Amino acid sequence: MELQDLLYSQGFGTRRVCVGLVQKGCVRLQTDGLWQTCEDPWLEVDAQPDWPFEVQGQAWRYRERAHLMLHKPAGTECSRKPSAWPSIYTLLPAPLRQRPQKGAVDGVQAVGRLDQDTTGLLLLSDDGQFIHRMASPRHHVPKVYQVHTVDAVTTQQMDKLLAGVVLDDDPQPVRAAACQAHGSHHVALTLTEGKYHQVKRMLAAVGNRVQALHRSSMGELHLPADLLPGQWRWLTNSDLRALGYQP
Ligand code: URA
């Protein structure tokens, strides 16, 4: 692959911009273990997964497809065109927002959405198959929500959440796959579907209210304790396996 193609594929701008970046000496590559500026946009490079390079001093690694996790902070919207709060996409570096998708500059997309005030694990990708697989109700990737409630959670409320509650827009009851009490006002709720405001509506349906909501895991993938609100990181192969995904 030519160096300018590689930069384009990773979201560093249009082909013209990528050629310009190289010609202006903004790109460094490792040759025989030494970092050196490369000014030839048409240099053939053997881009393997994780191949390192630097653009304008920013260290980067080649990835054919982007799979990442973000610790979504409260007060952010999952939309690209948010109505009231900053978009989660502003938390990502520009190349991730610009990775080309079938010709159009489009970037990574969130896998499903969390409400403005919900925090926790959010996956993002430009891999259509991955997004479909993680979001599809057919695949039932279980999601665990830490739910802090306004009123104490009763045993009857927990039983109803497990048995199934009817939400206003659907006669089919929705049920939690698991519901574990962690204190009088805190339950961990596992859901395998992703309906609009599902946790908040389920809690309302059993006569309680959500005070704070945090997604702590998806499948076997847990939000790492050292990934602070607003931070992101690439998913590793073992993270993808924990999600039951084989690229
Ligand atoms: N359920 C909700 O009510 N809100 C979220 O953000 C996620 C699940």
Side-chain angles (χ1 to χ4, degrees), residues 113-118 145 191 195-201 213 215:
R113 290 188 173 198
L114 293 175
D115 296 337
Q116 167 277 118
D117 50 354
T118 303
Y145 292 91
L191 301 183
K195 291 182 187 288
Y196 183 63
H197 292 327
Q198 185 166 340
V199 175
K200 290 176 183 164
R201 291 195 297 154
L213 188 56
R215 184 154 71 192

Coordinates of all heavy atoms in Angstrom, one line a residue, residues 113-118 145 191 195-201 213 215, ligand 1:
R113 N -27.0 3.5 21.4 CA -26.9 4.8 22.1 C -27.1 4.7 23.6 O -27.8 3.9 24.0 CB -27.9 5.8 21.5 CG -27.6 6.2 20.1 CD -28.5 7.3 19.6 NE -28.0 7.7 18.3 CZ -28.4 8.8 17.7 NH1 -29.2 9.7 18.3 NH2 -27.9 9.1 16.5
L114 N -26.5 5.6 24.3 CA -26.8 5.8 25.7 C -27.4 7.2 25.9 O -27.0 8.1 25.1 CB -25.5 5.6 26.6 CG -24.8 4.2 26.6 CD1 -23.5 4.3 27.3 CD2 -25.8 3.2 27.2
D115 N -28.2 7.3 26.9 CA -28.8 8.6 27.1 C -27.8 9.7 27.5 O -26.7 9.3 28.0 CB -29.9 8.6 28.3 CG -31.0 7.7 27.9 OD1 -31.3 7.5 26.7 OD2 -31.7 7.1 28.8
Q116 N -28.1 10.9 27.4 CA -27.3 12.0 27.8 C -26.7 11.8 29.2 O -25.5 12.0 29.4 CB -28.1 13.3 27.6 CG -27.5 14.6 28.2 CD -27.8 14.7 29.7 OE1 -26.9 14.8 30.5 NE2 -29.1 14.7 30.1
D117 N -27.5 11.4 30.1 CA -27.1 11.3 31.5 C -26.5 9.9 31.9 O -26.1 9.7 33.1 CB -28.2 11.7 32.5 CG -29.5 11.0 32.2 OD1 -29.6 10.3 31.2 OD2 -30.4 11.1 33.0
T118 N -26.5 9.0 31.0 CA -26.0 7.6 31.3 C -24.5 7.7 31.0 O -24.0 8.3 30.1 CB -26.6 6.6 30.3 OG1 -28.0 6.6 30.5 CG2 -26.1 5.2 30.6
Y145 N -26.2 -3.0 33.4 CA -26.4 -1.6 33.8 C -26.4 -1.6 35.4 O -27.1 -2.4 36.0 CB -27.7 -1.1 33.3 CG -27.8 -1.0 31.8 CD1 -28.3 -2.0 31.0 CD2 -27.3 0.2 31.2 CE1 -28.3 -1.9 29.6 CE2 -27.4 0.3 29.8 CZ -27.8 -0.7 29.0 OH -27.8 -0.6 27.7
L191 N -29.6 -6.8 30.5 CA -30.6 -6.8 29.5 C -30.0 -7.4 28.2 O -28.8 -7.2 27.9 CB -31.1 -5.4 29.2 CG -31.7 -4.6 30.3 CD1 -32.1 -3.2 29.8 CD2 -32.9 -5.3 30.9
K195 N -34.1 -1.4 23.9 CA -35.2 -0.5 23.5 C -34.9 0.9 24.0 O -34.1 1.0 25.0 CB -36.5 -1.0 24.0 CG -37.0 -2.3 23.4 CD -38.3 -2.7 24.0 CE -38.7 -4.0 23.4 NZ -39.2 -4.0 22.1
Y196 N -35.5 1.9 23.4 CA -35.3 3.3 23.8 C -35.6 3.5 25.3 O -36.7 3.1 25.8 CB -36.3 4.1 22.9 CG -36.3 5.6 23.1 CD1 -35.1 6.2 22.7 CD2 -37.3 6.3 23.5 CE1 -35.0 7.6 22.9 CE2 -37.3 7.7 23.7 CZ -36.1 8.3 23.3 OH -36.1 9.7 23.5
H197 N -34.7 4.1 26.0 CA -34.8 4.4 27.4 C -35.3 3.1 28.2 O -36.1 3.2 29.2 CB -35.8 5.4 27.7 CG -35.4 6.8 27.2 ND1 -34.1 7.3 27.2 CD2 -36.2 7.8 26.7 CE1 -34.1 8.5 26.7 NE2 -35.3 8.9 26.4
Q198 N -34.8 1.9 27.8 CA -35.3 0.7 28.4 C -35.3 0.6 29.9 O -36.2 0.2 30.5 CB -34.7 -0.5 27.7 CG -35.4 -1.8 28.2 CD -35.0 -3.0 27.3 OE1 -34.5 -2.8 26.2 NE2 -35.2 -4.2 27.8
V199 N -34.1 0.9 30.4 CA -33.9 0.7 31.9 C -34.8 1.7 32.6 O -35.5 1.3 33.5 CB -32.4 0.9 32.3 CG1 -32.3 0.9 33.8 CG2 -31.5 -0.1 31.6
K200 N -34.8 2.9 32.2 CA -35.6 3.9 32.9 C -37.1 3.6 32.8 O -37.8 3.7 33.8 CB -35.4 5.3 32.3 CG -34.0 5.8 32.6 CD -33.7 7.1 31.9 CE -32.3 7.6 32.2 NZ -31.8 8.6 31.3
R201 N -37.5 3.1 31.6 CA -39.0 2.7 31.5 C -39.3 1.5 32.3 O -40.4 1.4 32.8 CB -39.3 2.6 30.0 CG -39.3 4.0 29.3 CD -39.9 3.9 27.9 NE -39.3 3.0 27.0 CZ -39.9 2.4 26.0 NH1 -41.2 2.6 25.8 NH2 -39.2 1.6 25.2
L213 N -27.5 6.1 36.0 CA -27.4 4.8 35.2 C -26.0 4.7 34.6 O -25.5 5.7 34.1 CB -28.4 4.9 34.1 CG -28.7 3.7 33.3 CD1 -29.0 2.5 34.2 CD2 -29.8 3.9 32.3
R215 N -23.4 1.9 32.4 CA -23.3 0.5 31.7 C -21.9 0.0 32.1 O -20.9 0.6 31.7 CB -23.5 0.6 30.2 CG -23.4 -0.8 29.6 CD -24.2 -0.9 28.3 NE -23.5 -0.1 27.3 CZ -24.1 0.2 26.1 NH1 -25.4 -0.2 25.9 NH2 -23.5 0.8 25.2
Ligands
URA1 N1 -31.7 2.3 29.2 C1 -31.9 3.6 29.5 O1 -33.0 4.0 30.0 N2 -31.0 4.5 29.1 C2 -29.8 4.2 28.6 O2 -29.0 5.1 28.3 C3 -29.5 2.9 28.4 C4 -30.5 1.9 28.7

